[in-house]
Amino acid sequence: MQPDLWDNRARPAFHDKAYRRAAVAAWDERWHALSLAARRAFLHEVELPYERDVAPLPALRERFPAAALQELVAAGFVSVRESGRRPCVVRAPEAVDFAIRLLLVLDHRLLSDNEADRLQYYVHRAFATYDLGQAIQRVLEGAGAAARLDLFGNLLPLYLARGRWPDMVARYLGGTLTGKVLEVVEAAGGALPLHELPARLPGHDPAAVRAALDQLVTHLALFEGLEPDTFELLVGLLPSVRADRERARNTPPRPELQIALAPTDPGPEGGTVVPDLRAVLFELAAGRARLRTNGSLFHKEEERFERLLAPLPAWWQGLFAGPPDGRLADVLRWARLFQFVHDRREGQGRWVELTPEGRGWLGLEAEEQYEAVYEVLRGPLAPTADLLFLASELTAVREQAPTHELYRASVLAPEQRQPLRDALLACLRELPPGAFVPLAGFVARATHGPHNPVLLGLTPEQATVRVGGRLLPPLEDHLEDAGRQLLRFFFEYRLVPFGAVRVAPTEKPGRSLIARQPRLDALFGQSAPKATRRAADVARVVVQPDFSVIVIGLNPAPLAELAPFCERAAGSVGEGAMTYKLTRASVVRAVADGLPPEEIVARLERHASGRLPANVAREVRGWCDWIRPISASPAVLLRCPDRAAADRVQSALGRRAERLGDTIVVFPEAQLGSAEKQKLLAQGLLLPRESGEGPKRKKRRK
């Protein structure tokens, strides 16, 4: 009668797929009592089966040494078959489980130095995959690990081949004996002969020691092997587990920060994004730019704007690759995201122009511009990741994910994003303000052990960390790699470009120094200390009699008000000095864009350092007075053959018609209505037939 596979009582244990574990304990003592010759003969001459039901193949008796064969027969491993022409030796049916176990040990050699490739095959051959997965899941849940084991993926070696796994199994199994067995095995160098284990635990029942050992072996905390010279049965830890535990015992202390000498060629103090935004928006304040149909600038427009971007040091490209489509395209993306510019269609053309929000941002002081941009960065862009702020798809939350949500990224509320931001800020505040330190050294210190910001101050099992929605296992090296990648992206795409951290090169290519800036706290929404305004931050505007307007200083507020009615002549925002030129064309353009004429003179007088030159004030007022608004409206022009016909037209159309000459009358509408046409017809005045009023032509068939 076949067992009912749906009855759990009839199903074999998850570790009895290949052989029954309980049936081999008695054979271990017999194997230990055999001589080396008998063991070698059994391993090399007797057929070891892959399955229990496979009939044994006989081996010629003459191939066995007489003494070795006698030992094997006496121990019950083989029997001699005398029938037939030549006597044969066959494996005893009672030893089939032990023989299968020896074959698995020989095939996989898991206690050797390179077990990683063989571990997966051993698990599939020796264990029931689904049931083993459930058992390992219970071990992980008992240890607080918020992850599921996928036996068909790459997670099996990530757990079972790591140093923490034996301790997790021992805690799950409970009792003190399992832990002591692990201690004895590790004290012996990671492996010892199986028969020596009870003797190394005096005072404990050998049967209890064997039971604890079997539990550790069936839960893959310990593995079995054969000593290559004596074929003695061994029990031990995987080599990767031994190495992992050795590294954990010898973990180096947390690196200290090394203050570097002040570099001679540091990067821009304010980063690149905000100064580039400032330069591009000032140019757009003076006039919009033409776009292609794909939203990019025309080549001439690119040349116009690229001349305004402050040059970067020669070493910059070696550290930061930058956006693939260029610096100008990147700053336009940011300007659109911050809603400082918008695209507009006019007829067949497409333009990018400044928005009221962009003009308002230009009018802020320099540090206020950074704070306004930082406020947008802190807003969520996607529900599952803090991508806009972190420049990374990594998420780390304190909550343990339910089992059914382990393989999908959960929607994160703002309060769930905040712990990772707080951990990053605490990490970055270890940087001494203004002093340069090696970036590689800081990252190594920041991600060292429990200080890793992705852990949020918790243990690896308590934090749920995902990258791109993929759950990371609670393993220190994986979480350390994730923390390093998070910091690398954060420095390269946020901290340095947005002026929260300053960067400088080192003598080694590809290495860099970093220095914390005062505005780092503002990036995280913390109140930054108010710095004393420098002389360079206070703009000085000099209006000269030749209609030149020179702005000296880094404060962008005067530039935002002067740029709409001036033409840029020289300099850039980043250089700290700009020269504008007042022309009649620039004044007319500003008034056409909606700037009141009286506001132009008022702005010049408000920002000029000193008295406004009389000739400049007079000419600008004259240009403003010279501008006259005109109106345009559609009308119908009626040409008459003589003066009398024109009189009749004006009489028929009434006062709305306007006489332009003896024979021309204008009717102020886009077209004549049917009532007006009837009035003209009553006066004997005929209008030509319009193209749409004739009989419709039939379409020709092709």
Side-chain angles (χ1 to χ4, degrees), residues 495-533:
L495 296 179
V496 172
F498 284 90
V501 166
R502 196 174 188 182
V503 69
T506 64
E507 296 179 355
K508 296 182 179 180
R511 298 292 183 91
S512 60
L513 304 173
I514 54 171
R516 172 183 164 191
Q517 297 289 86
R519 61 177 70 95
L520 174 68
D521 289 335
L523 175 63
F524 285 86
Q526 306 293 322
S527 57
K530 296 296 183 182
T532 304
R533 296 185 72 185

Side-chain angles (χ1 to χ4, degrees), residues 46 58-62 64-66 68-74 76-84 86-93:
V46 177
L60 295 178
R61 192 175 88 173
E62 60 194 41
F64 290 79
L69 179 59
Q70 185 177 0
E71 283 187 70
L72 292 173
V73 172
F77 284 96
V78 298
S79 60
V80 179
R81 185 185 300 169
E82 299 291 347
S83 60
R86 305 170 70 178
C88 296
V89 177
V90 295
R91 169 183 44 81

Side-chain angles (χ1 to χ4, degrees), residues 204-446:
H204 292 278
D205 182 12
V209 173
R210 177 66 193 213
L213 173 66
D214 286 343
Q215 284 186 307
L216 291 170
V217 171
T218 55
H219 284 81
L220 301 173
L222 293 176
F223 293 83
E224 295 175 327
L226 285 178
E227 208 284 326
D229 295 327
T230 64
F231 303 117
E232 187 71 59
L233 280 169
L234 303 176
V235 62
L237 299 166
L238 290 175
S240 60
V241 172
R242 285 180 243 163
D244 209 9
R245 295 169 78 89
E246 182 67 23
R247 282 193 299 269
R249 285 192 296 269
N250 300 317
T251 300
R254 191 182 185 202
E256 296 292 334
L257 283 179
Q258 302 295 327
I259 307 298
L261 297 176
T264 58
D265 186 22
E269 182 270 341
T272 57
V273 174
V274 173
D276 288 354
L277 274 172
R278 200 181 291 144
V280 169
L281 295 188
F282 274 130
E283 186 67 13
L284 287 176
R288 59 185 182 175
R290 184 78 180 272
L291 296 175
R292 294 189 176 98
T293 55
N294 63 357
S296 62
L297 293 170
F298 278 94
H299 182 65
K300 288 185 178 180
E301 298 283 12
E302 287 182 352
E303 293 179 345
R304 166 190 166 192
F305 284 95
E306 285 176 350
R307 287 195 298 265
L308 306 176
L309 302 182
L312 294 174
W315 51 263
W316 188 274
Q317 286 296 111
L319 292 179
F320 306 107
D325 49 356
R327 186 174 164 191
L328 181 58
D330 185 58
V331 73
L332 283 177
R333 274 196 300 271
W334 284 115
R336 290 186 175 103
L337 188 144
F338 297 142
Q339 298 182 358
F340 293 160
V341 300
H342 66 86
D343 298 351
R344 168 184 264 177
R345 291 185 179 274
E346 284 189 7
Q348 299 297 322
R350 186 176 179 183
W351 305 81
V352 58
E353 57 187 23
L354 203 60
T355 63
E357 292 81 2
R359 293 186 185 276
W361 182 81
L362 283 177
L364 299 174
E365 292 192 4
E367 292 305 317
E368 292 176 342
Q369 289 182 342
Y370 281 94
E371 291 175 3
V373 167
Y374 294 163
E375 185 176 358
V376 178
L377 290 179
R378 290 194 299 272
L381 179 65
T384 58
D386 205 359
L387 184 61
L388 185 59
F389 183 75
L390 299 178
S392 171
E393 292 185 321
L394 183 142
T395 61
V397 296
R398 300 178 184 274
E399 296 82 1
Q400 295 293 326
T403 302
H404 63 279
E405 293 184 355
L406 289 171
Y407 286 114
R408 66 180 181 87
S410 302
V411 176
L412 298 183
E415 59 271 15
Q416 291 177 302
R417 306 170 192 268
Q418 194 59 40
L420 182 56
R421 294 185 183 184
D422 294 340
L424 277 174
L425 178 58
C427 163
L428 294 168
R429 277 179 171 169
E430 295 188 4
L431 288 170
F436 282 90
V437 301
L439 175 60
F442 170 75
V443 172
R445 173 180 172 81

